[in-house]
Amino acid sequence: MKLHAEKLFNDPRVKEATKLLEDALSEHKSALKKVKAPDKELKISYKKLIDSFSQVRGGNLWYPYLGSGLGNGALVELLDGSVKYDFISGIGVHYFGHSNLDTIAPSINAAISDILIEGNLQQNNDSYLLSELFLELSGMDHCFLSSSGAMANENALKIAFQARFPAKRILAFEKAFAGRTLALSSITDKPAFRKGLPQAINVDYLPFFDPEKEEESLEKALKVLNSHLARYPNDHALLIFEPVQGEGGFYPGDERFFKTLFKRVKEEGILIFSDEVQTFGRLDTPFGFQSFHLEEFVDLATIGKLSLVTATLFKDKIKPGPGLLSQTFTGATSLIKASLLLMSKLKNEGFFGKNGKNFRINELFKKEFQKLEKQFPDKIKGPFGIGAMVAFTPFDGSKEKAVAFGQKLFEAGVISFIAGDHPTRIRFLPPVGVITEDDIFKAVEIIAETFKNSP
Ligand SMILES: Cc1ncc(COP(=O)(O)O)c(C=O)c1O
């Protein structure tokens, strides 16, 4: 051991302290075994806290959620003493569940590291190793780390615009969600999300794949694409797509649909950008574009959410010039170290493939939802989605009813979120890394009970 740092990280006292913390967490988390209603006394002060927090942040929280700081896999304890199934995992972040013992060692390592947060001027070896891992998983040439999906997407847009200068426009799909910066709000296809904002980028939309009208939807998209290309010749820098539309309502794409459009797009020299902030890690391959066999087309891809550290991955031929990309923060040291460990698990522990855990979990959800559909034929449609992205439409798909059902489900002990408009669906991004069959059965019982109590 030549480095003093190696001596520190391998110090037996550090190992012993880590073991003690693992034992303590293991013992306390095991107390959380099942869904539990709020504690009557805590409930009153909790309500006040939630109201104050909403006041402080200048808008209501979506759910009256304040975590206690402890969970157990798919279960999480809230500050009102309730225990709930977390099937949305902070919108897809905590794929390896709550209070995961594996993350103690990297977190302790980070806590005794010299810096709390890494960034462009100061990165430790873990940043390099994580970048290499993302390159290996993606097959891309370069990886630039960042600290939010939006920032990863901004970096991708900048790389593409610079490479395709002076092209000014982009192509995107209807119902796209790309993030919430000023530029990304121009792409995200939701008027409410850009109300009052100037249009920062000119976007030409294409209709997305419709599984009920495969041929027709392809023909229509191709026609619209050709008309945009004719109207603005040589003026599109890139086409952005989500392999499975996430916020738009959990709509998977289709290999032939994508390939046909992408061939045409490539004829014009336009770059193709796969926004995988939501899909990364959730299908039968690490990246969604691999699942649809689009490797030859994709020039840029971004990841986020479950990767904990976000990244922009790109081909060598569009390498940006010096000065285009830089950031004070790329990620907290603890997150970079935890991501390195968890992404290695994701790669090696049976999550991918047609029989991998992502797809097996989907099958289980599907079977259970089909039973629910039989039980409540007027109240539920679905299931929809793919892999570790599962959704159903409650009632008539109206936003009001879906939101109200989600709130009821939360009270009953299952945390979900909505996606899409007309119809609005209830969606799950479950913690596949830790979820058990029993968790799914119990959560579905709660969903059934909630449907029973919802006229
Ligand atoms: C497809 C997609 N792109 C980008 C983003 C933005 O990521 P973030 O919220 O981390 O900025 C999201 C977030 O939901 C997303 O689903």
Side-chain angles (χ1 to χ4, degrees):
M1 281 194 256
K2 284 204 174 145
L3 296 173
H4 294 295
E6 285 173 282
K7 288 179 199 155
L8 167 66
F9 296 130
N10 287 293
D11 188 310
R13 287 171 297 181
V14 174
K15 298 244 146 80
E16 198 187 327
T18 306
K19 173 82 178 58
L20 281 173
L21 290 170
E22 284 167 353
D23 290 349
L25 177 58
S26 176
E27 189 184 312
H28 289 286
K29 74 184 251 188
S30 68
L32 305 181
K33 289 192 171 60
K34 56 180 187 191
V35 164
K36 185 172 154 273
D39 179 281
K40 276 194 187 112
E41 279 169 34
L42 292 176
K43 210 176 160 179
I44 303 159
S45 54
Y46 186 77
K47 165 97 180 58
K48 281 193 191 137
L49 257 181
I50 294 284
D51 290 346
S52 306
F53 193 22
S54 298
Q55 179 66 24
V56 165
R57 66 193 287 281
N60 284 343
L61 295 159
W62 186 266
Y63 287 129
Y65 182 112
L66 272 176
S68 72
L70 187 70
N72 186 10
L75 289 168
V76 59
E77 180 187 59
L78 304 196
L79 224 48
D80 63 358
S82 67
V83 177
K84 302 185 193 297
Y85 274 120
D86 179 9
F87 277 14
I88 195 64
S89 56
I91 319 263
V93 179
H94 314 294
Y95 180 91
F96 286 93
H98 290 266
S99 298
N100 190 316
L101 290 175
D102 293 334
T103 57
I104 291 187
S107 302
I108 291 302
N109 248 279
I112 58 170
S113 285
D114 62 327
I115 46 175
L116 294 173
I117 192 156
E118 303 187 21
N120 268 337
L121 215 50
Q122 282 188 327
Q123 309 201 49
N124 290 351
N125 193 35
D126 36 26
S127 285
Y128 163 67
L129 296 174
L130 186 61
S131 305
E132 282 283 15
L133 179 57
F134 290 154
L135 286 186
E136 184 194 334
L137 293 173
S138 63
M140 290 278 171
D141 299 321
H142 302 288
C143 172
F144 191 89
L145 301 180
S146 51
S147 47
S148 74
M151 201 59 222
N153 279 1
E154 285 275 342
N155 287 336
L157 292 181
K158 281 162 62 176
I159 294 171
F161 275 119
Q162 189 175 70
R164 287 272 299 153
F165 183 80
K168 301 178 293 300
R169 310 186 68 84
I170 76 161
L171 293 158
F173 286 99
E174 289 169 6
K175 295 195 177 184
F177 184 89
R180 291 174 182 269
T181 62
L182 197 50
L184 297 169
S185 303
S186 295
I187 302 172
T188 293
D189 190 21
K190 268 212 151 188
F193 290 3
R194 55 167 172 262
K195 194 172 166 204
L197 305 182
Q199 185 76 12
I201 296 184
N202 292 314
V203 186
D204 297 314
Y205 290 98
L206 310 173
F208 198 66
F209 176 68
D210 181 350
E212 277 159 33
K213 297 177 197 154
E214 288 194 19
E215 208 51 45
E216 211 180 309
S217 69
L218 173 56
E219 273 170 31
K220 196 168 141 206
L222 201 53
K223 201 169 151 202
V224 176
L225 171 63
N226 279 322
S227 96
H228 290 317
L229 295 176
R231 177 162 294 131
Y232 302 108
N234 222 11
D235 206 19
H236 292 101
L238 73 129
L239 175 147
I240 179 173
F241 78 105
E242 297 159 79
V244 182
Q245 290 197 315
E247 308 298 305
F250 279 23
Y251 292 93
D254 172 78
E255 182 172 342
R256 195 167 80 88
F257 177 84
F258 283 139
K259 279 189 170 165
T260 312
L261 294 178
F262 292 0
K263 265 187 201 145
R264 178 71 192 96
V265 163
K266 286 266 141 165
E267 281 167 16
E268 302 292 322
I270 296 166
L271 298 167
I272 294 187
F273 163 21
S274 188
D275 176 351
E276 308 242 1
V277 171
Q278 192 149 163
T279 46
F280 174 69
R282 291 186 219 278
L283 307 190
D284 57 342
T285 50
F287 283 77
F289 73 78
Q290 297 158 337
S291 186
F292 293 102
H293 306 109
L294 304 169
E295 287 88 339
E296 65 177 294
F297 298 99
V298 174
D299 304 292
L300 300 120
T302 50
I303 59 174
K305 296 190 180 283
L306 68 79
S307 58
L308 303 177
V309 180
T310 65
T312 309
L313 298 136
F314 52 97
K315 296 261 172 78
D316 191 57
K317 65 173 185 187
I318 52 169
K319 205 157 83 176
L324 192 76
L325 307 183
S326 184
Q327 273 147 217
T328 306
F329 299 153
T330 48
T333 311
S334 53
L335 287 181
I336 295 169
K337 284 182 188 287
S339 178
L340 195 52
L341 179 101
L342 295 180
M343 294 307 99
S344 308
K345 282 172 88 70
L346 186 72
K347 177 184 146 204
N348 296 320
E349 297 189 358
F351 292 97
F352 302 124
K354 294 287 175 230
N355 204 25
K357 198 166 177 200
N358 281 338
F359 272 36
R360 288 205 315 272
I361 288 294
N362 188 289
E363 280 306 311
L364 253 177
F365 268 109
K366 261 192 190 142
K367 265 194 212 148
E368 293 304 302
F369 282 150
Q370 275 154 4
K371 285 187 218 156
L372 283 182
E373 219 185 344
K374 279 201 187 119
Q375 212 180 333
F376 307 101
D378 306 330
K379 295 186 179 175
I380 172 169
K381 272 190 217 69
F384 305 101
I386 180 172
M389 302 174 77
V390 194
F392 63 84
T393 306
F395 307 102
D396 58 356
S398 77
K399 187 167 178 192
E400 295 69 35
K401 285 190 179 162
V403 170
F405 189 75
Q407 296 287 352
K408 273 194 172 176
L409 216 48
F410 180 88
E411 269 169 42
V414 175
I415 312 177
S416 65
F417 197 46
I418 55 161
D421 274 324
H422 319 292
T424 299
R425 292 172 171 171
I426 294 281
R427 67 170 147 157
F428 296 137
L429 291 167
V432 174
V434 288
I435 204 168
T436 62
E437 288 193 5
D438 194 50
D439 290 331
I440 296 177
F441 296 146
K442 292 215 168 99
V444 169
E445 273 173 29
I446 295 171
I447 298 171
E449 208 43 46
T450 311
F451 269 123
K452 245 189 236 161
N453 300 331
S454 309

